[in-house]
Amino acid sequence: MIYETPAILMCPPDFYGIEYEINPWMSRSKQSDPALARQQWEALYQLLQKQEARIELMTPVKGLPDLVFTANAGLIWKDRVFLSLFRHAARQGETPLDRDWFQTAGFETIDMPEGFYFEGAGDALFCGDTLFAGYLIRSDVRALQWVAGEMNCRVIPLQLVDEFYYHLDTCFCPLSETEAIYYPPAFDEYGQHALKEHIPYLIPVAKAEAQRFACNAVVLGETVVMNTGCPQLEADLQQRGYQTLSTPLDEFTKAGGSAKCLTLRLDGERAAVWP
């Protein structure tokens, strides 16, 4: 393990904006406010620091507005990282920068085989010793199976059926080895059944709160950090013994991301039991 304490990779939003449209949330006619985006990012940064998380920073790069969404850089596994192979050309320029950062930090970087689209912790999340893998819209199922094979772990592919929930982390958030948040309509019937079969306690999210990116939360121990406007989920989590903290992230939901998308856990998620 390179990081023994909670450590998170973030990237300041210096060049963040809606420069293209690659998911239904994005519209170049509905631009983000740069000053407000910076304010919201800083508030999240400060909130995570107050939870005693170590924050590492990438250098933002002009022309790569989505570099701010570090969750998509790759999937961390111990001292290795499986680098993303983005489906859309607009984001493919991020990977060389991600590779350089991880290698400088001491990680071994693993590239995906050619044509195996994979979008990192956006689509691959451990809950216990099982890798739950969102596929079809961004990541390929064969890519997710290849990653699981390299780690020698069980993988459960989950087909995403709603383009608004294009990454797994927009509709699913492991809390611990046995608990997770999810938005059921984002999955096909098999996916919903698989989640219920393998995760003992699932907290369903209402449509209105899913649209506020309730599932795109950051879990630090017993604390869950999320976008504002999710009172029902906050109440459900508090009933389970979690502390909830909310901070406005509306400028980032315009691009299809929120708290989880803006962070990549470098030391392993609380819910993960790595093989």
Side-chain angles (χ1 to χ4, degrees), residues 237-272:
L237 288 169
Q238 289 163 11
Q239 196 169 32
R240 294 287 300 173
Y242 287 91
Q243 174 191 17
T244 60
L245 300 171
S246 62
T247 187
L249 293 165
D250 298 80
E251 293 307 301
F252 297 99
T253 63
K254 291 177 181 178
S258 189
K260 177 68 168 63
C261 289
L262 291 165
T263 62
L264 179 66
R265 190 74 178 263
L266 297 169
D267 62 310
E269 299 283 353
R270 176 178 188 258

Side-chain angles (χ1 to χ4, degrees), residues 8 44 48 173 216-220 223-226 259-260 263:
I8 292 171
L44 176 64
L48 295 173
C173 176
N216 199 245
V218 177
V219 182
L220 289 168
T223 300
V224 182
V225 180
M226 68 184 77
K260 177 68 168 63
T263 62

Side-chain angles (χ1 to χ4, degrees), residues 97-203:
L97 301 175
D98 295 331
R99 182 185 296 108
D100 289 346
W101 190 91
F102 286 120
Q103 289 180 352
T104 299
F107 286 92
E108 176 188 349
T109 56
I110 302 170
D111 290 290
M112 298 301 297
E114 185 176 354
F116 278 39
Y117 294 117
F118 171 69
E119 302 208 353
D123 271 332
L125 296 167
F126 273 98
C127 191
D129 59 3
T130 300
L131 183 67
F132 290 87
Y135 75 95
L136 191 63
I137 299 175
R138 290 293 187 86
S139 298
D140 293 333
V141 68
R142 60 178 183 162
L144 295 157
Q145 290 169 334
W146 183 84
V147 168
E150 292 293 300
M151 292 190 291
N152 192 30
C153 73
R154 177 172 62 177
V155 60
I156 296 181
L158 302 168
Q159 183 175 327
L160 303 178
V161 296
D162 185 332
E163 290 189 355
F164 281 93
Y165 303 96
Y166 59 95
H167 274 152
L168 182 63
D169 69 359
T170 65
C171 51
F172 175 68
C173 176
L175 297 167
S176 70
E177 297 173 30
T178 59
E179 302 168 295
I181 302 162
Y182 80 130
Y183 177 54
F187 303 94
D188 67 2
E189 187 176 345
Y190 165 80
Q192 293 182 40
H193 177 76
L195 287 167
K196 291 175 183 175
E197 182 179 353
H198 293 282
I199 300 175
Y201 195 89
L202 286 167
I203 300 174

